[in-house]
């Protein structure tokens, strides 16, 4: 065997061996790959089945959760339905019981009213019969009974404190008359505490200077408060005031004879004066020089309508110790004061908290800015009759902690003044913005966050509507509001009254005068405001008495010029509002004598009554008023055609103030002397009549407040 063959044999053998081993390895490898692939396929199938099961389970789980949620919601809905059904049953029973109780209470009131009215009529018949039999006037018999009752009770036996409490309510004239009864009564009128305060203004046309001098001389050590308002006295009388060393309050307003010389004597003798009213006097800069030198503790000063002092006089307020304790200042009508004068006030009276400036057309924003630069303690501000005040004044007042603001008749104050009012004046409690034509619903929306607001007067703000009032009442201010005046806000409708009844539980005074869009249905919502003490619905379209039924504490009611009202409202007042003290039914032609008889029988606390234009009333009502309403002080009977002059003259001796004429009602009343509506009216509208009566009533506002 050759080496070549050996090499070939080895090569063949090696190739054959490699080939056999490779085939074997290939078969083994293929077998392993198939096994691995089978395993992978099995795992893939297992994973796919798991994912499929998971997806199915997820969908099933979601479905079950949805079913559970639906079941839960269904159960809750069923529970709510059952709960609402229970509540409905409870509320129905409560409502029926409340209605039954209310009906029972109403029936009791009506029954009580009928019994009292029957007793009243029987007593009235017996009284008239007794008067006819005795042939004596009723007045003399009543006076005789009063004398007998007086003899039975000797007032002088009461303790001194009780006597003082009784006599302190009398005027100076009444005290003098009481002192002339007898010796015991004279001793009672000589109590020292009774002469601490003397008001000579009530007897300015009766008592001469001689008596005033003797009174001041006798009680000079006890005198604390003196009022000479409107008294025409001699200079010697004013000088005698200087002997009252303990005097604290002095009012010499409207005294034409009061001069700088009189003020000099008083300032030297009465250094302890705290309150000084010099309104409408002829004082000059000489008096202004005396104030800081002698009245070191002066707190209240009124210089209203004193036009003879100048800016230099205001500069004198900083002399000596100055008037740094002054907290109240009235500069109404002082048109001579310039911006520099207000700077002098700011320098000398930095502690002012109450500022009143009325009837001052020369007042501008610069004057207010000069004042508040140093007077940052102002809390009460009154600007009426100042047409040049604008939004800039509100911006300047942002440094003050205002609680009360009053602007009237201003056309330059707009919504911009109220934009940040909740941030600048969070403690505002009283806002009077009457007759400010620039105020709209946006201002009311800005006022809604004021939590301390209790009084809001927006009379004659004709651009205010339902939306603005709703936004205001939705805020926290509606909870504390006590007084709301919306007179002549002609855009308000029934929705506003409904919102008021829902959001104002503490409302005491409400005025909706001449709100033309209000109907009887809207005014009926007032029945839900149980806290009302005073309501003014004059000039509105009301025809029923439903609003009276819940007003058991009602004291003041004005339904004048509501021509649809009849005797039913008077009957409702007699049943539900027996505490009524002021009533105006002027311009209500359907009111008759029977209604007024009921009023006289039940409303014994009536002080003010206006029946002007009630053409069906006769002389009989005056007799009823004399017997039933013995506290009546003011009676208005304009255009009462069936009331005679003789009866009115007899009634005038029973009241303090009376207005009467028997002329036919004016054309703007809308009816004739018999109460029949007129077919053709003159160009004069009822609103004009209402405004005329408003002016007339304002003339007697002080007397009404006194009553």
């Amino acid at each position: 065997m050759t080496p070549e063959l050996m090499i070939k044999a080895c090569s063949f053998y090696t190739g054959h061996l490699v080939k056999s081993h490779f085939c074997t390895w290939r078969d083994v490898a293929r077998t392993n790959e198939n096994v691995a692939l089978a395993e992978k396929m099995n795992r893939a199938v297992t994973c796919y089945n798991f994912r499929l099961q998971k997806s199915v389970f997820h969908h099933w789980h979601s479905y079950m959760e949805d079913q559970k949620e639906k079941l839960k919601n269904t159960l809750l809905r069923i529970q709510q339905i059952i709960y609402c059904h229970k509540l409905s049953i409870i509320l129905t029973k409560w409502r029926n019981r409340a209605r039954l109780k209310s009906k029972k209470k109403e029936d009791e009131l009506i029954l009580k009213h009928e019994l009292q009215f029957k007793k009243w009529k029987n007593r009235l018949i017996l009284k008239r019969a007794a008067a006819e039999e005795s042939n004596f006037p009723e007045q003399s018999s009543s006076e005789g009974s009063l004398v007998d009752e007086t003899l039975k009770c000797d007032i002088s036996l009461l303790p001194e404190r009780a006597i003082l409490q009784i006599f302190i309510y009398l005027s100076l004239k009444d005290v003098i008359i009481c002192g002339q009864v007898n010796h015991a009564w004279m001793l009672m009128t000589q109590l020292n505490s009774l002469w601490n305060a003397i008001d000579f203004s009530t007897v300015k046309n009766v008592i001469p200077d001689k008596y005033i001098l003797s009174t001041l001389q006798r009680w000079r050590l006890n005198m604390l408060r003196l009022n000479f308002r409107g008294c025409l006295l001699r200079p010697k009388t004013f000088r005698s005031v200087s002997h009252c060393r303990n005097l604290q309050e002095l009012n010499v307003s409207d005294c034409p004879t009061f001069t700088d010389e009189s003020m000099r004597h008083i300032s030297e003798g009465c250094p302890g004066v705290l309150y000084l009213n010099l309104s409408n006097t002829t004082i000059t800069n000489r008096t202004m020089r005396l104030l800081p030198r002698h009245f070191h503790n002066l707190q209240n000063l009124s210089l209203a309508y004193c036009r003879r002092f100048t800016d230099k006089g205001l500069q004198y307020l900083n002399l000596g110790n100055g008037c740094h304790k002054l907290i109240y200042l009235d500069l109404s009508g002082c048109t001579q004061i310039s911006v520099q004068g207000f700077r002098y006030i700011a320098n000398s009276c930095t502690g002012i908290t109450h500022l009143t400036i009325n009837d001052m057309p020369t007042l501008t924003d610069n004057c207010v800015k000069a004042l508040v630069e140093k007077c940052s303690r102002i809390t009460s501000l009154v600007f009426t009759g100042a047409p040049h005040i604008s939004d800039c004044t509100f911006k300047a007042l942002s440094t003050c902690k205002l609680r009360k603001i009053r602007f009237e008749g201003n056309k330059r104050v707009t919504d911009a003044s109220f934009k940040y009012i909740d941030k600048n004046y969070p403690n505002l409690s009283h806002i009077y913005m009457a007759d400010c034509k620039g105020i709209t619903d946006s201002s009311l929306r800005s006022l809604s966050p004021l939590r301390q607001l209790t009084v809001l007067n927006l009379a004659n703000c004709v651009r205010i509507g339902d939306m603005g009032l709703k936004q205001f009442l939705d805020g926290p201010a509606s909870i504390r509001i006590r007084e709301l005046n919306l007179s002549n806000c002609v855009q308000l409708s029934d929705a506003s009254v409904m919102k008021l009844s829902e959001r104002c539980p503490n409302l005491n005074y409400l005025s909706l005068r001449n709100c033309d869009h209000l109907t009887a249905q809207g005014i009926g919502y007032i029945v839900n405001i149980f806290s009302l003490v005073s309501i003014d619905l004059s000039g509105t379209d009301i025809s029923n008495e439903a609003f009276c039924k819940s007003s058991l504490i009602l004291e003041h009611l004005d339904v004048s010029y509501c021509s649809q009202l009849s005797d039913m409202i008077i009957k409702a007042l007699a049943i539900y509002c027996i505490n009524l003290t002021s009533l105006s039914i002027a311009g209500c032609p359907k009111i008759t004598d029977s209604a007024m008889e009921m009023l006289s029988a039940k409303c014994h606390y009536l002080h003010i009554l206006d029946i002007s234009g009630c053409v069906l009333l006769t002389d009989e009502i005056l007799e009823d008023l004399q017997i039933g309403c013995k506290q009546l002080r003011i009676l208005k009977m304009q255009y009462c055609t069936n009331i005679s002059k003789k009866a009115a003259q007899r009634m005038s001796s029973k009241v303090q103030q009376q207005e009467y004429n028997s002329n036919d009602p004016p054309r703007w009343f809308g009816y004739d002397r018999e109460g029949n509506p007129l077919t053709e009216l003159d160009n004069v509208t009822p609103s004009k009549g209402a405004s005329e009566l408003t002016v007339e009533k304002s003339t007697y506002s002080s007397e009404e407040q006194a009553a």
Side-chain angles (χ1 to χ4, degrees):
M1 179 175 295
T2 61
E4 294 177 356
L5 292 173
M6 191 67 173
I7 293 170
K8 286 182 179 181
C10 289
S11 299
F12 177 80
Y13 176 76
T14 304
H16 178 73
L17 185 64
V18 170
K19 185 177 179 181
S20 62
H21 279 78
F22 177 78
C23 291
T24 303
W25 172 83
R26 186 180 61 185
D27 295 337
V28 172
R30 285 179 178 177
T31 303
N32 292 337
E33 286 180 1
N34 292 333
V35 172
L37 183 61
E39 290 179 357
K40 288 182 180 180
M41 285 297 294
N42 291 333
R43 281 167 30 197
V45 171
T46 303
C47 182
Y48 173 76
N49 292 333
F50 176 77
R51 288 184 178 180
L52 184 61
Q53 291 176 0
K54 186 177 180 180
S55 175
V56 171
F57 178 79
H58 178 72
H59 286 293
W60 174 83
H61 181 73
S62 300
Y63 173 76
M64 293 305 297
E65 289 293 329
D66 292 339
Q67 292 298 319
K68 286 182 180 180
E69 189 69 24
K70 289 180 180 180
L71 182 62
K72 184 179 179 180
N73 293 335
T74 304
L75 291 175
L76 288 175
R77 180 62 179 166
I78 293 173
Q79 290 177 357
Q80 289 178 356
I81 292 173
I82 295 173
Y83 181 71
C84 291
H85 183 65
K86 289 181 178 179
L87 282 181
S88 177
I89 295 173
I90 294 171
L91 288 175
T92 303
K93 291 183 178 180
W94 173 84
R95 183 183 60 188
N96 294 335
R97 187 174 297 178
R99 285 180 177 176
L100 183 63
K101 189 175 180 180
S102 177
K103 185 70 168 57
K104 185 178 179 181
K105 186 177 180 180
E106 186 174 348
D107 292 341
E108 289 177 355
L109 285 174
I110 294 174
L111 181 61
K112 184 179 178 181
H113 163 73
E114 291 176 352
L115 292 175
Q116 290 180 349
F117 187 59
K118 189 175 181 180
K119 285 183 180 180
W120 157 268
K121 296 189 77 171
N122 293 335
R123 190 172 58 193
L124 193 61
I125 293 171
L126 292 175
K127 198 167 187 179
R128 288 175 177 172
E132 291 177 0
E133 290 177 1
S134 60
N135 292 326
F136 283 106
E138 185 180 350
Q139 182 178 358
S140 63
S141 63
S142 61
E143 290 178 356
S145 62
L146 286 175
V147 172
D148 295 337
E149 292 177 1
T150 306
L151 293 175
K152 294 178 183 179
C153 178
D154 189 357
I155 193 175
S156 61
L157 299 178
L158 294 175
E160 180 178 327
R161 184 177 178 183
I163 296 173
L164 179 62
Q165 194 66 25
I166 294 172
F167 278 89
I168 201 171
Y169 290 103
L170 301 180
S171 64
L172 180 61
K173 181 179 179 181
D174 296 331
V175 171
I176 296 172
I177 294 173
C178 291
Q180 296 174 352
V181 174
N182 53 38
H183 182 70
W185 281 64
M186 184 190 70
L187 293 177
M188 287 189 292
T189 59
Q190 303 303 314
L191 296 175
N192 293 335
S193 301
L194 190 61
W195 297 92
N196 287 342
I198 302 180
D199 186 2
F200 289 107
S201 63
T202 58
V203 291
K204 57 187 177 183
N205 298 323
V206 180
I207 298 181
D209 288 20
K210 182 179 179 180
Y211 177 81
I212 296 177
L213 285 170
S214 62
T215 304
L216 294 177
Q217 182 64 27
R218 181 173 182 179
W219 304 104
R220 62 185 184 277
L221 299 179
N222 303 93
M223 205 75 65
L224 298 178
R225 296 180 291 275
L226 275 176
N227 186 358
F228 292 107
R229 181 177 181 180
C231 295
L232 186 62
L233 305 177
R234 293 178 298 177
K236 181 180 178 181
T237 306
F238 284 119
R239 287 198 299 268
S240 64
V241 178
S242 61
H243 300 299
C244 304
R245 300 288 180 178
N246 299 318
L247 190 65
Q248 295 181 1
E249 298 183 10
L250 178 62
N251 186 348
V252 291
S253 58
D254 301 320
C255 294
T257 57
F258 188 82
T259 60
D260 294 331
E261 189 64 21
S262 304
M263 191 69 239
R264 184 180 68 82
H265 289 283
I266 294 174
S267 62
E268 292 174 355
C270 308
V273 171
L274 302 176
Y275 171 89
L276 183 60
N277 191 341
L278 302 174
S279 303
N280 201 18
T281 56
T282 58
I283 62 166
T284 64
N285 291 342
R286 290 180 56 193
T287 295
M288 303 298 290
R289 186 192 292 266
L290 295 172
L291 296 180
R293 290 184 176 180
H294 298 281
F295 300 134
H296 306 307
N297 298 317
L298 188 63
Q299 296 179 1
N300 291 50
L301 176 62
S302 178
L303 300 172
Y305 306 101
C306 296
R307 294 188 173 92
R308 295 197 177 186
F309 69 88
T310 62
D311 291 344
K312 188 174 182 180
L314 296 174
Q315 187 179 10
Y316 291 150
L317 295 177
N318 205 22
L319 296 176
N321 294 327
C323 296
H324 299 295
K325 294 184 179 180
L326 199 67
I327 60 175
Y328 175 86
L329 181 62
D330 188 351
L331 298 174
S332 302
C334 298
T335 55
Q336 75 277 13
I337 302 178
S338 64
V339 177
Q340 187 61 37
F342 282 98
R343 289 198 181 96
Y344 291 146
I345 295 174
N347 292 330
S348 56
C349 308
T350 56
I352 293 178
T353 58
H354 304 279
L355 180 64
T356 301
I357 306 179
N358 299 327
D359 299 330
M360 196 166 176
T362 58
L363 187 68
T364 61
D365 295 333
N366 293 330
C367 297
V368 180
K369 291 178 182 178
L371 184 65
V372 300
E373 284 179 358
K374 296 184 179 180
C375 298
S376 59
R377 300 181 185 178
I378 297 177
T379 59
S380 176
L381 197 62
V382 180
F383 289 155
T384 61
H388 298 293
I389 294 295
S390 67
D391 297 333
C392 297
T393 295
F394 271 86
K395 186 177 180 180
L397 290 170
S398 60
T399 58
C400 303
K401 299 179 180 180
L402 287 180
R403 294 180 180 271
K404 299 180 181 180
I405 57 173
R406 182 166 187 165
F407 288 75
E408 290 187 13
N410 193 301
K411 297 181 180 179
R412 301 185 64 186
V413 176
T414 64
D415 295 336
S417 300
F418 297 92
K419 189 174 183 180
Y420 302 106
I421 195 169
D422 59 323
K423 297 180 180 179
N424 296 334
Y425 317 109
N427 298 320
L428 267 178
S429 60
H430 291 64
I431 299 179
Y432 299 88
M433 302 297 291
D435 199 20
C436 294
K437 301 297 190 296
I439 295 178
T440 65
D441 290 344
S442 178
S443 298
L444 279 177
R445 183 170 60 250
S446 302
L447 294 177
S448 61
L450 297 177
R451 297 181 179 273
Q452 305 298 325
L453 189 63
T454 58
V455 177
L456 179 61
N457 188 334
L458 297 174
N460 300 323
C461 295
V462 294
R463 299 176 66 184
I464 291 176
D466 291 334
M467 183 57 66
L469 189 61
K470 178 182 180 298
Q471 292 172 343
F472 169 74
L473 295 176
D474 285 335
S478 61
I479 305 300
R480 295 176 59 90
I481 198 78
R482 296 289 190 277
E483 180 179 340
L484 184 60
N485 190 339
L486 299 172
S487 301
N488 297 310
C489 295
V490 293
Q491 297 186 28
L492 298 180
S493 65
D494 295 344
S496 297
V497 184
M498 182 176 66
K499 195 68 177 179
L500 279 173
S501 65
E502 295 174 355
R503 298 288 300 170
C504 300
N506 299 312
L507 190 64
N508 297 138
Y509 301 90
L510 176 63
S511 177
L512 298 172
R513 172 189 291 262
N514 295 330
C515 294
D516 300 334
H517 290 85
L518 295 182
T519 64
Q521 181 182 1
I523 293 175
Y525 291 116
I526 296 178
V527 75
N528 298 320
I529 309 177
F530 301 100
S531 58
L532 280 176
V533 176
S534 175
I535 307 176
D536 187 351
L537 299 174
S538 57
T540 57
D541 185 19
I542 58 175
S543 57
N544 58 61
E545 69 288 348
F547 67 92
C548 300
K549 293 187 177 181
S550 65
S551 305
L552 300 180
I553 60 173
L554 190 65
E555 296 181 4
H556 309 278
L557 177 63
D558 190 344
V559 288
S560 53
Y561 303 102
C562 300
S563 57
Q564 300 299 322
L565 291 180
S566 61
D567 290 349
M568 295 303 296
I569 186 173
I570 304 297
K571 183 178 180 180
L573 292 175
I575 296 174
Y576 303 103
C577 307
I578 60 176
N579 295 319
L580 206 63
T581 60
S582 175
L583 175 63
S584 176
I585 51 175
C588 299
K590 297 182 180 180
I591 306 297
T592 63
D593 288 350
S594 59
M596 297 305 298
E597 185 179 11
M598 280 189 264
L599 186 74
S600 304
K602 296 295 295 294
C603 299
H604 302 304
Y605 306 107
L606 203 61
H607 292 169
I608 303 172
L609 178 62
D610 188 355
I611 54 174
S612 301
C614 297
V615 293
L616 300 181
L617 300 182
T618 63
D619 295 348
E620 293 183 6
I621 67 149
L622 299 183
E623 298 179 8
D624 297 333
L625 290 174
Q626 289 181 28
I627 299 173
C629 303
K630 295 184 179 180
Q631 298 187 28
L632 193 62
R633 298 292 180 268
I634 299 176
L635 178 61
K636 298 181 180 180
M637 301 182 292
Q638 302 282 352
Y639 314 116
C640 293
T641 56
N642 290 323
I643 295 179
S644 63
K645 186 176 181 180
K646 185 177 180 181
Q649 289 177 348
R650 287 198 304 267
M651 190 64 189
S652 62
S653 61
K654 304 293 183 181
V655 295
Q656 294 180 356
Q657 178 186 337
Q658 177 176 299
E659 299 177 13
Y660 166 77
N661 70 57
S662 57
N663 300 333
D664 291 344
R667 298 282 294 177
W668 48 264
F669 268 53
Y671 54 87
D672 57 16
R673 62 181 295 118
E674 296 179 356
N676 300 320
L678 298 176
T679 55
E680 294 182 1
L681 294 176
D682 291 340
N683 293 329
V684 184
T685 61
S687 60
K688 180 179 178 181
S691 62
E692 289 180 359
L693 187 66
T694 303
V695 174
E696 182 180 353
K697 287 174 66 177
S698 65
T699 309
Y700 301 100
S701 59
S702 60
E703 288 82 359
E704 293 180 1
Q705 292 174 0

